Amino acid sequence: MTGLEDRIAMADANTQRLDEWFARLERMPVPEGFRVEIVGGNVHMTPQRDTHWCIIRRIVRPIEDRFGMDVRVFSDVRIDFPGHENGFCPDVAKLSDSAKKDDEGRWRYQDVEFVAEVISEGTAANDYGPKKTAYAVAEVPVYVIADPYQGRCYVHTEPKDGDYLSRKRVDFGTDIDLTATVVGLTLKTDDFPRD
């Protein structure tokens, strides 16, 4: 097998295992209000707090205002990302206008233009670590981490070679200028609640 064939076979095996995991999880009695995702082959269940949801809404709203109600922006929808068994359900994911589902009926990571994750205590290490790496490998142009515990956001842009070349720290209360990115808007953070 060539290197490309090996990678394709590994991606197919990862997708099959993720499908099996998510099928099992759908049959389990997952409590309402919990988000389930698989990061590096590990299952994580996180309760959604009101602070979490409030920040998500304050990110989604300006995206809808900028692109209209038909924009492909999702919260907690499975998208498989590069790496070992990464079935993420981003807090916010904006897809390109030309995005189409794959043969299995899932959105493709190649069409993701923007991701935002809101930190939860139990899974913060994922958002700052393996998920950030997977988003960079997938070449997601803009990745924003909103951390209500620290009262700040981290804006990652310019993905290259599995990392982001640019990282900017923005304290809550300061606008996040994304006008020079594919998102083309400014996110206001003055109403982002803190934990």
Side-chain angles (χ1 to χ4, degrees):
M1 267 195 205
T2 67
L4 177 59
E5 289 170 332
D6 288 341
R7 283 194 300 263
I8 291 170
M10 186 169 55
D12 288 344
N14 277 338
T15 298
Q16 289 171 352
R17 282 193 295 270
L18 286 170
D19 289 345
E20 291 169 14
W21 270 106
F22 277 106
R24 286 182 186 149
L25 291 166
E26 287 174 7
R27 291 190 301 270
M28 291 176 60
V30 175
E32 188 175 328
F34 276 73
R35 173 179 129 178
V36 178
E37 63 184 349
I38 301 172
V39 179
N42 297 305
V43 177
H44 296 271
M45 281 197 313
T46 311
Q48 284 230 340
R49 301 170 335 278
D50 55 346
T51 299
H52 199 91
W53 178 237
C54 185
I55 293 173
I56 291 170
R57 284 184 52 235
R58 283 176 168 73
I59 293 171
V60 169
R61 182 70 183 267
I63 292 172
E64 290 175 342
D65 289 346
R66 163 83 169 80
F67 294 98
M69 289 302 293
D70 292 330
V71 65
R72 289 195 172 105
V73 63
F74 303 107
S75 182
D76 294 337
V77 172
R78 175 185 167 188
I79 301 172
D80 296 346
F81 282 89
H84 176 70
E85 296 180 6
N86 285 326
F88 300 164
C89 300
D91 288 323
V92 179
K94 186 216 174 284
L95 280 59
S96 67
D97 290 342
S98 61
K100 295 200 184 332
K101 291 184 177 182
D102 64 19
D103 293 339
E104 287 80 37
R106 284 189 290 278
W107 296 107
R108 301 169 345 115
Y109 74 83
Q110 294 91 336
D111 295 323
V112 178
E113 295 181 330
F114 169 85
V115 168
E117 295 286 5
V118 181
I119 295 298
S120 295
E121 268 185 315
T123 58
N126 289 338
D127 296 328
Y128 284 113
K131 289 175 83 174
K132 182 177 108 80
T133 299
Y135 294 144
V137 169
E139 297 185 350
V140 173
V142 182
Y143 173 41
V144 173
I145 299 172
D147 191 329
Y149 300 97
Q150 295 181 19
R152 64 180 53 115
C153 294
Y154 295 93
V155 182
H156 302 274
T157 56
E158 301 177 53
K160 185 174 182 181
D161 298 329
D163 201 1
Y164 283 98
L165 299 180
S166 175
R167 178 186 149 199
K168 182 178 180 183
R169 186 181 110 177
V170 179
D171 291 332
F172 283 12
T174 305
D175 291 351
I176 300 174
D177 182 3
L178 300 174
T179 55
T181 71
V182 295
V183 185
L185 57 80
T186 299
L187 285 177
K188 301 206 171 289
T189 67
D190 45 345
D191 288 331
F192 281 16
R194 295 183 64 146
D195 265 341

